[in-house]
Amino acid sequence: MTAAAVRSKMGLEPHFLVVMGVSGTGKTTIATGLATRLGWHFQEGDALHPPANVEKMSTGQPLTDADRAPWLALCHDWLRAQVEAGHGAVLTCSALKRVYREQLRANGLPIEFVHIDTSAAELAARLERREGHFMPASLLPSQLATLEAPGDDEPVIRVSGEKHPDVVLEELIRHFQTEG
Ligand SMILES: Nc1ncnc2c1ncn2[C@@H]1O[C@H](COP(=O)(O)OP(=O)(O)O)[C@@H](O)[C@H]1O
Ligand SMILES: O=C(O)[C@H](O)[C@@H](O)[C@H](O)[C@H](O)COP(=O)(O)O
């Protein structure tokens, strides 16, 4: 049973967002900003990876569909708990393929994706600079090759990963404030 909707700090109806895109595109930056500004629950999808997946990525090996399946199941479970609680929520998850996004939306969950699109050159520069993260820059080509950008038939809000994060956050909040 779904609880009564809990309105956000800014009086918005709850949304259940998956901030998606390849490594380095700004998922954590945008998702934490949204969750903080709106008072929505936040989950870092990286933290739900089984240790074997983190080990694999740390050593420069791309994940397979089979590797990602248990991780996507945990992501789905988290989203489902948020929907059942009626509390707005934001998850970071690369969600690179359409079938992964379908798995996240299973059981009729009213998930919306925020796809952050960033050029390959900018991504490479960011991953080279980023410290203290298990994901090496060498995995960027496989991330880009695996990405199936969401189609118009999917529930997606597209934003640029090359604008300042504050600008993207304003755009997103305005989007939620003005939607019918
Ligand atoms: N819009 C942006 N412009 C410039 N740098 C950014 C932007 N968004 C994120 N970054 C930086 O890029 C790196 C990757 O961002 P992060 O949010 O960790 O991406 P992801 O979670 O998608 O891997 C971080 O060092 C972050 O500070
Ligand atoms: O499906 C995958 O191959 C991984 O989930 C990957 O896409 C994700 O990006 C990593 O978890 C790295 O973490 P960051 O996205 O935070 O760099």
PDB file of all heavy atoms in Angstrom, residues 110-143:
ATOM      1  N   PRO A 110       6.607   4.558 -10.720  1.00  0.00           N
ATOM      2  CA  PRO A 110       6.526   5.816 -11.482  1.00  0.00           C
ATOM      3  C   PRO A 110       7.861   6.574 -11.496  1.00  0.00           C
ATOM      4  O   PRO A 110       7.974   7.707 -11.033  1.00  0.00           O
ATOM      5  CB  PRO A 110       5.453   6.599 -10.714  1.00  0.00           C
ATOM      6  CG  PRO A 110       5.624   6.144  -9.303  1.00  0.00           C
ATOM      7  CD  PRO A 110       6.030   4.690  -9.375  1.00  0.00           C
ATOM      8  N   ILE A 111       8.868   5.894 -12.045  1.00  0.00           N
ATOM      9  CA  ILE A 111      10.223   6.455 -12.050  1.00  0.00           C
ATOM     10  C   ILE A 111      10.391   7.428 -13.214  1.00  0.00           C
ATOM     11  O   ILE A 111       9.886   7.192 -14.306  1.00  0.00           O
ATOM     12  CB  ILE A 111      11.244   5.298 -12.260  1.00  0.00           C
ATOM     13  CG1 ILE A 111      11.104   4.229 -11.186  1.00  0.00           C
ATOM     14  CG2 ILE A 111      12.673   5.822 -12.347  1.00  0.00           C
ATOM     15  CD1 ILE A 111      11.150   4.731  -9.796  1.00  0.00           C
ATOM     16  N   GLU A 112      11.118   8.500 -12.970  1.00  0.00           N
ATOM     17  CA  GLU A 112      11.536   9.393 -14.063  1.00  0.00           C
ATOM     18  C   GLU A 112      13.066   9.396 -14.081  1.00  0.00           C
ATOM     19  O   GLU A 112      13.703   9.405 -13.029  1.00  0.00           O
ATOM     20  CB  GLU A 112      11.054  10.823 -13.825  1.00  0.00           C
ATOM     21  CG  GLU A 112       9.555  10.974 -13.840  1.00  0.00           C
ATOM     22  CD  GLU A 112       9.159  12.293 -13.189  1.00  0.00           C
ATOM     23  OE1 GLU A 112       9.068  13.296 -13.909  1.00  0.00           O
ATOM     24  OE2 GLU A 112       8.961  12.308 -11.962  1.00  0.00           O
ATOM     25  N   PHE A 113      13.614   9.436 -15.289  1.00  0.00           N
ATOM     26  CA  PHE A 113      15.061   9.485 -15.435  1.00  0.00           C
ATOM     27  C   PHE A 113      15.491  10.923 -15.720  1.00  0.00           C
ATOM     28  O   PHE A 113      14.813  11.638 -16.459  1.00  0.00           O
ATOM     29  CB  PHE A 113      15.516   8.566 -16.588  1.00  0.00           C
ATOM     30  CG  PHE A 113      15.213   7.119 -16.306  1.00  0.00           C
ATOM     31  CD1 PHE A 113      14.061   6.526 -16.793  1.00  0.00           C
ATOM     32  CD2 PHE A 113      16.066   6.369 -15.499  1.00  0.00           C
ATOM     33  CE1 PHE A 113      13.754   5.202 -16.498  1.00  0.00           C
ATOM     34  CE2 PHE A 113      15.760   5.043 -15.199  1.00  0.00           C
ATOM     35  CZ  PHE A 113      14.609   4.459 -15.697  1.00  0.00           C
ATOM     36  N   VAL A 114      16.600  11.315 -15.130  1.00  0.00           N
ATOM     37  CA  VAL A 114      17.243  12.584 -15.489  1.00  0.00           C
ATOM     38  C   VAL A 114      18.541  12.181 -16.165  1.00  0.00           C
ATOM     39  O   VAL A 114      19.451  11.649 -15.506  1.00  0.00           O
ATOM     40  CB  VAL A 114      17.527  13.449 -14.240  1.00  0.00           C
ATOM     41  CG1 VAL A 114      18.318  14.695 -14.630  1.00  0.00           C
ATOM     42  CG2 VAL A 114      16.217  13.827 -13.539  1.00  0.00           C
ATOM     43  N   HIS A 115      18.598  12.364 -17.466  1.00  0.00           N
ATOM     44  CA  HIS A 115      19.810  11.961 -18.195  1.00  0.00           C
ATOM     45  C   HIS A 115      20.730  13.165 -18.346  1.00  0.00           C
ATOM     46  O   HIS A 115      20.377  14.162 -18.981  1.00  0.00           O
ATOM     47  CB  HIS A 115      19.465  11.382 -19.575  1.00  0.00           C
ATOM     48  CG  HIS A 115      20.685  10.937 -20.314  1.00  0.00           C
ATOM     49  ND1 HIS A 115      20.796  10.954 -21.675  1.00  0.00           N
ATOM     50  CD2 HIS A 115      21.890  10.483 -19.869  1.00  0.00           C
ATOM     51  CE1 HIS A 115      21.994  10.512 -22.033  1.00  0.00           C
ATOM     52  NE2 HIS A 115      22.674  10.228 -20.946  1.00  0.00           N
ATOM     53  N   ILE A 116      21.917  13.038 -17.787  1.00  0.00           N
ATOM     54  CA  ILE A 116      22.917  14.110 -17.900  1.00  0.00           C
ATOM     55  C   ILE A 116      23.859  13.757 -19.038  1.00  0.00           C
ATOM     56  O   ILE A 116      24.555  12.741 -18.985  1.00  0.00           O
ATOM     57  CB  ILE A 116      23.732  14.269 -16.602  1.00  0.00           C
ATOM     58  CG1 ILE A 116      22.819  14.301 -15.373  1.00  0.00           C
ATOM     59  CG2 ILE A 116      24.573  15.538 -16.677  1.00  0.00           C
ATOM     60  CD1 ILE A 116      23.589  14.403 -14.059  1.00  0.00           C
ATOM     61  N   ASP A 117      23.857  14.598 -20.049  1.00  0.00           N
ATOM     62  CA  ASP A 117      24.657  14.337 -21.251  1.00  0.00           C
ATOM     63  C   ASP A 117      25.884  15.254 -21.259  1.00  0.00           C
ATOM     64  O   ASP A 117      25.745  16.473 -21.144  1.00  0.00           O
ATOM     65  CB  ASP A 117      23.780  14.596 -22.487  1.00  0.00           C
ATOM     66  CG  ASP A 117      24.437  14.090 -23.746  1.00  0.00           C
ATOM     67  OD1 ASP A 117      25.240  13.140 -23.669  1.00  0.00           O
ATOM     68  OD2 ASP A 117      24.167  14.663 -24.819  1.00  0.00           O
ATOM     69  N   THR A 118      27.035  14.637 -21.377  1.00  0.00           N
ATOM     70  CA  THR A 118      28.308  15.382 -21.337  1.00  0.00           C
ATOM     71  C   THR A 118      29.208  14.855 -22.450  1.00  0.00           C
ATOM     72  O   THR A 118      29.210  13.643 -22.720  1.00  0.00           O
ATOM     73  CB  THR A 118      28.987  15.172 -19.958  1.00  0.00           C
ATOM     74  OG1 THR A 118      28.071  15.537 -18.926  1.00  0.00           O
ATOM     75  CG2 THR A 118      30.255  15.991 -19.809  1.00  0.00           C
ATOM     76  N   SER A 119      29.968  15.728 -23.079  1.00  0.00           N
ATOM     77  CA  SER A 119      30.819  15.299 -24.193  1.00  0.00           C
ATOM     78  C   SER A 119      31.921  14.358 -23.699  1.00  0.00           C
ATOM     79  O   SER A 119      32.368  14.441 -22.547  1.00  0.00           O
ATOM     80  CB  SER A 119      31.454  16.506 -24.879  1.00  0.00           C
ATOM     81  OG  SER A 119      32.419  17.070 -24.029  1.00  0.00           O
ATOM     82  N   ALA A 120      32.380  13.508 -24.616  1.00  0.00           N
ATOM     83  CA  ALA A 120      33.421  12.540 -24.268  1.00  0.00           C
ATOM     84  C   ALA A 120      34.694  13.246 -23.805  1.00  0.00           C
ATOM     85  O   ALA A 120      35.358  12.793 -22.860  1.00  0.00           O
ATOM     86  CB  ALA A 120      33.712  11.646 -25.475  1.00  0.00           C
ATOM     87  N   ALA A 121      35.029  14.369 -24.436  1.00  0.00           N
ATOM     88  CA  ALA A 121      36.273  15.075 -24.073  1.00  0.00           C
ATOM     89  C   ALA A 121      36.190  15.609 -22.638  1.00  0.00           C
ATOM     90  O   ALA A 121      37.137  15.487 -21.856  1.00  0.00           O
ATOM     91  CB  ALA A 121      36.523  16.214 -25.055  1.00  0.00           C
ATOM     92  N   GLU A 122      35.044  16.196 -22.321  1.00  0.00           N
ATOM     93  CA  GLU A 122      34.871  16.737 -20.951  1.00  0.00           C
ATOM     94  C   GLU A 122      34.876  15.599 -19.921  1.00  0.00           C
ATOM     95  O   GLU A 122      35.473  15.716 -18.848  1.00  0.00           O
ATOM     96  CB  GLU A 122      33.562  17.535 -20.899  1.00  0.00           C
ATOM     97  CG  GLU A 122      33.124  17.977 -19.510  1.00  0.00           C
ATOM     98  CD  GLU A 122      34.029  19.017 -18.849  1.00  0.00           C
ATOM     99  OE1 GLU A 122      34.894  19.598 -19.523  1.00  0.00           O
ATOM    100  OE2 GLU A 122      33.863  19.220 -17.617  1.00  0.00           O
ATOM    101  N   LEU A 123      34.238  14.483 -20.262  1.00  0.00           N
ATOM    102  CA  LEU A 123      34.207  13.338 -19.337  1.00  0.00           C
ATOM    103  C   LEU A 123      35.617  12.822 -19.063  1.00  0.00           C
ATOM    104  O   LEU A 123      35.982  12.542 -17.917  1.00  0.00           O
ATOM    105  CB  LEU A 123      33.361  12.205 -19.934  1.00  0.00           C
ATOM    106  CG  LEU A 123      31.855  12.451 -19.969  1.00  0.00           C
ATOM    107  CD1 LEU A 123      31.196  11.447 -20.912  1.00  0.00           C
ATOM    108  CD2 LEU A 123      31.248  12.362 -18.580  1.00  0.00           C
ATOM    109  N   ALA A 124      36.394  12.703 -20.119  1.00  0.00           N
ATOM    110  CA  ALA A 124      37.752  12.182 -19.963  1.00  0.00           C
ATOM    111  C   ALA A 124      38.557  13.093 -19.043  1.00  0.00           C
ATOM    112  O   ALA A 124      39.267  12.625 -18.145  1.00  0.00           O
ATOM    113  CB  ALA A 124      38.417  12.062 -21.331  1.00  0.00           C
ATOM    114  N   ALA A 125      38.414  14.403 -19.236  1.00  0.00           N
ATOM    115  CA  ALA A 125      39.167  15.352 -18.403  1.00  0.00           C
ATOM    116  C   ALA A 125      38.740  15.222 -16.939  1.00  0.00           C
ATOM    117  O   ALA A 125      39.575  15.215 -16.030  1.00  0.00           O
ATOM    118  CB  ALA A 125      38.937  16.773 -18.913  1.00  0.00           C
ATOM    119  N   ARG A 126      37.431  15.098 -16.720  1.00  0.00           N
ATOM    120  CA  ARG A 126      36.943  15.006 -15.337  1.00  0.00           C
ATOM    121  C   ARG A 126      37.425  13.733 -14.657  1.00  0.00           C
ATOM    122  O   ARG A 126      37.804  13.755 -13.484  1.00  0.00           O
ATOM    123  CB  ARG A 126      35.417  14.981 -15.322  1.00  0.00           C
ATOM    124  CG  ARG A 126      34.811  16.318 -15.551  1.00  0.00           C
ATOM    125  CD  ARG A 126      33.323  16.199 -15.322  1.00  0.00           C
ATOM    126  NE  ARG A 126      32.654  17.310 -15.941  1.00  0.00           N
ATOM    127  CZ  ARG A 126      31.349  17.391 -16.091  1.00  0.00           C
ATOM    128  NH1 ARG A 126      30.575  16.400 -15.660  1.00  0.00           N
ATOM    129  NH2 ARG A 126      30.803  18.435 -16.651  1.00  0.00           N
ATOM    130  N   LEU A 127      37.374  12.614 -15.370  1.00  0.00           N
ATOM    131  CA  LEU A 127      37.757  11.349 -14.730  1.00  0.00           C
ATOM    132  C   LEU A 127      39.246  11.313 -14.444  1.00  0.00           C
ATOM    133  O   LEU A 127      39.685  10.720 -13.460  1.00  0.00           O
ATOM    134  CB  LEU A 127      37.310  10.163 -15.587  1.00  0.00           C
ATOM    135  CG  LEU A 127      35.792   9.962 -15.647  1.00  0.00           C
ATOM    136  CD1 LEU A 127      35.435   8.757 -16.518  1.00  0.00           C
ATOM    137  CD2 LEU A 127      35.177   9.787 -14.266  1.00  0.00           C
ATOM    138  N   GLU A 128      40.033  11.964 -15.292  1.00  0.00           N
ATOM    139  CA  GLU A 128      41.481  12.039 -15.017  1.00  0.00           C
ATOM    140  C   GLU A 128      41.736  12.847 -13.751  1.00  0.00           C
ATOM    141  O   GLU A 128      42.634  12.541 -12.979  1.00  0.00           O
ATOM    142  CB  GLU A 128      42.232  12.688 -16.195  1.00  0.00           C
ATOM    143  CG  GLU A 128      42.357  11.809 -17.438  1.00  0.00           C
ATOM    144  CD  GLU A 128      43.161  10.518 -17.199  1.00  0.00           C
ATOM    145  OE1 GLU A 128      43.874  10.427 -16.187  1.00  0.00           O
ATOM    146  OE2 GLU A 128      43.038   9.591 -18.036  1.00  0.00           O
ATOM    147  N   ARG A 129      40.931  13.881 -13.547  1.00  0.00           N
ATOM    148  CA  ARG A 129      41.123  14.776 -12.387  1.00  0.00           C
ATOM    149  C   ARG A 129      40.553  14.199 -11.099  1.00  0.00           C
ATOM    150  O   ARG A 129      41.024  14.505 -10.018  1.00  0.00           O
ATOM    151  CB  ARG A 129      40.375  16.107 -12.651  1.00  0.00           C
ATOM    152  CG  ARG A 129      41.131  17.149 -13.399  1.00  0.00           C
ATOM    153  CD  ARG A 129      40.498  18.536 -13.227  1.00  0.00           C
ATOM    154  NE  ARG A 129      39.069  18.583 -13.483  1.00  0.00           N
ATOM    155  CZ  ARG A 129      38.521  18.910 -14.641  1.00  0.00           C
ATOM    156  NH1 ARG A 129      39.279  19.201 -15.666  1.00  0.00           N
ATOM    157  NH2 ARG A 129      37.212  18.959 -14.788  1.00  0.00           N
ATOM    158  N   ARG A 130      39.499  13.368 -11.212  1.00  0.00           N
ATOM    159  CA  ARG A 130      38.770  12.930 -10.009  1.00  0.00           C
ATOM    160  C   ARG A 130      39.640  12.011  -9.156  1.00  0.00           C
ATOM    161  O   ARG A 130      40.250  11.079  -9.657  1.00  0.00           O
ATOM    162  CB  ARG A 130      37.470  12.214 -10.413  1.00  0.00           C
ATOM    163  CG  ARG A 130      36.605  11.875  -9.232  1.00  0.00           C
ATOM    164  CD  ARG A 130      35.202  11.470  -9.634  1.00  0.00           C
ATOM    165  NE  ARG A 130      35.157  10.226 -10.383  1.00  0.00           N
ATOM    166  CZ  ARG A 130      34.033   9.575 -10.686  1.00  0.00           C
ATOM    167  NH1 ARG A 130      32.864  10.092 -10.334  1.00  0.00           N
ATOM    168  NH2 ARG A 130      34.067   8.455 -11.360  1.00  0.00           N
ATOM    169  N   GLU A 131      39.632  12.279  -7.860  1.00  0.00           N
ATOM    170  CA  GLU A 131      40.443  11.459  -6.937  1.00  0.00           C
ATOM    171  C   GLU A 131      39.516  10.727  -5.979  1.00  0.00           C
ATOM    172  O   GLU A 131      38.385  11.146  -5.736  1.00  0.00           O
ATOM    173  CB  GLU A 131      41.393  12.369  -6.145  1.00  0.00           C
ATOM    174  CG  GLU A 131      42.487  12.941  -7.030  1.00  0.00           C
ATOM    175  CD  GLU A 131      43.417  13.869  -6.269  1.00  0.00           C
ATOM    176  OE1 GLU A 131      43.107  14.219  -5.117  1.00  0.00           O
ATOM    177  OE2 GLU A 131      44.441  14.248  -6.863  1.00  0.00           O
ATOM    178  N   GLY A 132      40.019   9.603  -5.434  1.00  0.00           N
ATOM    179  CA  GLY A 132      39.293   8.908  -4.380  1.00  0.00           C
ATOM    180  C   GLY A 132      38.069   8.171  -4.859  1.00  0.00           C
ATOM    181  O   GLY A 132      37.121   7.954  -4.104  1.00  0.00           O
ATOM    182  N   HIS A 133      38.020   7.777  -6.125  1.00  0.00           N
ATOM    183  CA  HIS A 133      36.883   7.019  -6.658  1.00  0.00           C
ATOM    184  C   HIS A 133      37.400   5.785  -7.367  1.00  0.00           C
ATOM    185  O   HIS A 133      38.418   5.855  -8.051  1.00  0.00           O
ATOM    186  CB  HIS A 133      36.078   7.895  -7.615  1.00  0.00           C
ATOM    187  CG  HIS A 133      34.716   7.352  -7.926  1.00  0.00           C
ATOM    188  ND1 HIS A 133      34.520   6.225  -8.698  1.00  0.00           N
ATOM    189  CD2 HIS A 133      33.483   7.760  -7.554  1.00  0.00           C
ATOM    190  CE1 HIS A 133      33.227   5.974  -8.784  1.00  0.00           C
ATOM    191  NE2 HIS A 133      32.564   6.891  -8.100  1.00  0.00           N
ATOM    192  N   PHE A 134      36.663   4.665  -7.207  1.00  0.00           N
ATOM    193  CA  PHE A 134      37.160   3.400  -7.759  1.00  0.00           C
ATOM    194  C   PHE A 134      37.139   3.323  -9.278  1.00  0.00           C
ATOM    195  O   PHE A 134      37.790   2.466  -9.869  1.00  0.00           O
ATOM    196  CB  PHE A 134      36.351   2.216  -7.185  1.00  0.00           C
ATOM    197  CG  PHE A 134      34.881   2.261  -7.486  1.00  0.00           C
ATOM    198  CD1 PHE A 134      34.398   1.829  -8.712  1.00  0.00           C
ATOM    199  CD2 PHE A 134      33.979   2.724  -6.533  1.00  0.00           C
ATOM    200  CE1 PHE A 134      33.044   1.859  -9.000  1.00  0.00           C
ATOM    201  CE2 PHE A 134      32.618   2.763  -6.806  1.00  0.00           C
ATOM    202  CZ  PHE A 134      32.153   2.340  -8.039  1.00  0.00           C
ATOM    203  N   MET A 135      36.388   4.198  -9.935  1.00  0.00           N
ATOM    204  CA  MET A 135      36.171   4.040 -11.381  1.00  0.00           C
ATOM    205  C   MET A 135      37.314   4.676 -12.168  1.00  0.00           C
ATOM    206  O   MET A 135      37.487   5.897 -12.130  1.00  0.00           O
ATOM    207  CB  MET A 135      34.845   4.716 -11.735  1.00  0.00           C
ATOM    208  CG  MET A 135      34.352   4.420 -13.110  1.00  0.00           C
ATOM    209  SD  MET A 135      33.684   2.738 -13.169  1.00  0.00           S
ATOM    210  CE  MET A 135      32.934   2.784 -14.788  1.00  0.00           C
ATOM    211  N   PRO A 136      38.103   3.884 -12.912  1.00  0.00           N
ATOM    212  CA  PRO A 136      39.210   4.496 -13.662  1.00  0.00           C
ATOM    213  C   PRO A 136      38.743   5.131 -14.978  1.00  0.00           C
ATOM    214  O   PRO A 136      37.749   4.702 -15.577  1.00  0.00           O
ATOM    215  CB  PRO A 136      40.125   3.296 -13.948  1.00  0.00           C
ATOM    216  CG  PRO A 136      39.225   2.103 -13.957  1.00  0.00           C
ATOM    217  CD  PRO A 136      38.061   2.424 -13.052  1.00  0.00           C
ATOM    218  N   ALA A 137      39.485   6.142 -15.412  1.00  0.00           N
ATOM    219  CA  ALA A 137      39.149   6.827 -16.670  1.00  0.00           C
ATOM    220  C   ALA A 137      39.209   5.865 -17.855  1.00  0.00           C
ATOM    221  O   ALA A 137      38.531   6.061 -18.866  1.00  0.00           O
ATOM    222  CB  ALA A 137      40.105   8.000 -16.880  1.00  0.00           C
ATOM    223  N   SER A 138      39.979   4.794 -17.724  1.00  0.00           N
ATOM    224  CA  SER A 138      40.132   3.844 -18.842  1.00  0.00           C
ATOM    225  C   SER A 138      38.814   3.138 -19.193  1.00  0.00           C
ATOM    226  O   SER A 138      38.688   2.564 -20.272  1.00  0.00           O
ATOM    227  CB  SER A 138      41.182   2.783 -18.493  1.00  0.00           C
ATOM    228  OG  SER A 138      40.759   2.048 -17.357  1.00  0.00           O
ATOM    229  N   LEU A 139      37.836   3.180 -18.284  1.00  0.00           N
ATOM    230  CA  LEU A 139      36.559   2.515 -18.588  1.00  0.00           C
ATOM    231  C   LEU A 139      35.586   3.423 -19.343  1.00  0.00           C
ATOM    232  O   LEU A 139      34.497   2.989 -19.720  1.00  0.00           O
ATOM    233  CB  LEU A 139      35.898   2.010 -17.295  1.00  0.00           C
ATOM    234  CG  LEU A 139      36.457   0.692 -16.758  1.00  0.00           C
ATOM    235  CD1 LEU A 139      35.749   0.286 -15.472  1.00  0.00           C
ATOM    236  CD2 LEU A 139      36.295  -0.419 -17.801  1.00  0.00           C
ATOM    237  N   LEU A 140      35.994   4.672 -19.560  1.00  0.00           N
ATOM    238  CA  LEU A 140      35.064   5.589 -20.231  1.00  0.00           C
ATOM    239  C   LEU A 140      34.633   5.111 -21.616  1.00  0.00           C
ATOM    240  O   LEU A 140      33.432   5.150 -21.929  1.00  0.00           O
ATOM    241  CB  LEU A 140      35.671   6.999 -20.282  1.00  0.00           C
ATOM    242  CG  LEU A 140      34.778   8.064 -20.899  1.00  0.00           C
ATOM    243  CD1 LEU A 140      33.443   8.174 -20.168  1.00  0.00           C
ATOM    244  CD2 LEU A 140      35.500   9.407 -20.895  1.00  0.00           C
ATOM    245  N   PRO A 141      35.553   4.629 -22.484  1.00  0.00           N
ATOM    246  CA  PRO A 141      35.086   4.193 -23.811  1.00  0.00           C
ATOM    247  C   PRO A 141      34.008   3.110 -23.735  1.00  0.00           C
ATOM    248  O   PRO A 141      33.028   3.148 -24.483  1.00  0.00           O
ATOM    249  CB  PRO A 141      36.365   3.662 -24.476  1.00  0.00           C
ATOM    250  CG  PRO A 141      37.469   4.432 -23.806  1.00  0.00           C
ATOM    251  CD  PRO A 141      37.022   4.605 -22.382  1.00  0.00           C
ATOM    252  N   SER A 142      34.151   2.158 -22.800  1.00  0.00           N
ATOM    253  CA  SER A 142      33.125   1.106 -22.729  1.00  0.00           C
ATOM    254  C   SER A 142      31.816   1.664 -22.178  1.00  0.00           C
ATOM    255  O   SER A 142      30.722   1.239 -22.582  1.00  0.00           O
ATOM    256  CB  SER A 142      33.611  -0.097 -21.914  1.00  0.00           C
ATOM    257  OG  SER A 142      33.387   0.096 -20.546  1.00  0.00           O
ATOM    258  N   GLN A 143      31.913   2.637 -21.277  1.00  0.00           N
ATOM    259  CA  GLN A 143      30.681   3.276 -20.778  1.00  0.00           C
ATOM    260  C   GLN A 143      29.930   3.958 -21.937  1.00  0.00           C
ATOM    261  O   GLN A 143      28.723   3.812 -22.086  1.00  0.00           O
ATOM    262  CB  GLN A 143      31.040   4.338 -19.726  1.00  0.00           C
ATOM    263  CG  GLN A 143      31.573   3.762 -18.434  1.00  0.00           C
ATOM    264  CD  GLN A 143      30.460   3.476 -17.448  1.00  0.00           C
ATOM    265  OE1 GLN A 143      29.762   4.382 -17.032  1.00  0.00           O
ATOM    266  NE2 GLN A 143      30.280   2.223 -17.096  1.00  0.00           N
TER     267      GLN A 143
END
